[in-house]
Amino acid sequence: MPAAKFEITRQCKVCGETFMAKTIESWYCSPKCSKIAWKRRKDEELRLQRLDDVVKKIPKSKEYITVPEAYALFGISKETLYRLIRKGTIPSVNAGERQTLLSKEELMKLYPLRKKALTKPKPIVKLYSLEPKDCYTIGEITEKFLVNESTVYLHIRKYSIPTRQIGNFVYVPKKEIDNLYKGVKR
């Protein structure tokens, strides 16, 4: 995407450094930070996938589960589980060396099940008011945010922002445009 003709000041999501974003999609101050963020996302996806695989192997009728299974099922850290065992909050059975079993029923009373993060949420349906009083015209957007008309149309298509044409004017919801160009220095 071409560089913007306006200035957007953002804070890098990895290192926290303030930088001038070159495009609307710039969230990282450098390629190095971008690669770090990508690696973190992939590692988290892999970790969640491994936890989901462990959860799938646990039979539903099993009354007592191991500590790693409880971690995968509830998302509670192993240290927290062992602390709860020492306090006596969770009934446990020592089934041999390195084999502690926990009551699944008691854990269900204390904690909700871990949400499956890998399942993509359903898209939220947005309702827009496309009345002229709730919208900007393309000309108003170019004047207010100091961007070219072609850039505005490009962003409208790219982010699927609804438009309405009345006569010679194209109206775009103010809420969406303000959200898109927030942080732009005018």
Side-chain angles (χ1 to χ4, degrees):
M1 179 167 199
K5 293 183 177 152
F6 47 85
E7 293 181 350
I8 303 173
T9 305
R10 292 217 171 115
Q11 193 171 13
C12 181
K13 291 186 173 186
V14 173
C15 67
E17 188 177 317
T18 303
F19 69 101
M20 298 303 287
K22 292 181 181 173
T23 66
I24 281 190
E25 291 100 20
S26 299
W27 294 105
Y28 308 106
C29 63
S30 65
K32 180 182 175 187
C33 285
S34 179
K35 288 176 186 171
I36 290 170
W38 180 84
K39 179 81 169 112
R40 286 179 183 171
R41 275 193 311 273
K42 291 300 172 188
D43 287 347
E44 182 64 15
E45 287 174 10
L46 185 63
R47 185 184 75 81
L48 292 173
Q49 183 63 47
R50 285 187 194 136
L51 290 178
D52 288 343
D53 291 343
V54 170
V55 169
K56 287 177 187 173
K57 293 178 184 175
I58 302 172
K60 298 224 185 269
S61 62
K62 195 173 181 182
E63 289 182 32
Y64 282 85
I65 56 177
T66 64
V67 173
E69 288 172 340
Y71 169 64
L73 199 58
F74 296 99
I76 308 165
S77 73
K78 293 175 185 177
E79 292 80 16
T80 302
L81 290 168
Y82 284 117
R83 188 174 61 248
L84 292 171
I85 291 169
R86 280 193 301 275
K87 285 184 176 179
T89 309
I90 301 172
S92 65
V93 176
N94 190 355
E97 192 174 317
R98 299 173 58 110
Q99 187 73 27
T100 303
L101 300 175
L102 308 171
S103 171
K104 186 166 128 182
E105 186 178 315
E106 290 297 317
L107 283 170
M108 298 273 276
K109 289 178 187 174
L110 293 173
Y111 298 102
L113 292 175
R114 180 179 61 86
K115 292 180 180 164
K116 299 202 188 284
L118 291 179
T119 55
K120 295 187 178 177
K122 294 179 182 175
I124 299 169
V125 178
K126 294 182 180 178
L127 299 176
Y128 300 101
S129 171
L130 291 174
E131 294 301 316
K133 64 179 171 56
D134 299 324
C135 297
Y136 291 124
T137 63
I138 300 297
E140 290 172 340
I141 296 169
T142 57
E143 288 174 21
K144 183 172 182 177
F145 298 104
L146 304 174
V147 291
N148 289 339
E149 204 171 288
S150 61
T151 305
V152 173
Y153 280 112
L154 180 87
H155 290 153
I156 287 171
R157 278 193 307 278
K158 183 170 186 170
Y159 297 108
S160 302
I161 299 173
T163 60
R164 178 181 181 191
Q165 185 166 358
I166 301 175
N168 292 334
F169 298 102
V170 176
Y171 292 96
V172 187
K174 285 182 180 179
K175 187 170 88 175
E176 285 296 312
I177 294 299
D178 289 338
N179 203 18
L180 181 64
Y181 292 117
K182 69 181 172 198
V184 173
K185 289 186 178 177
R186 294 176 202 126

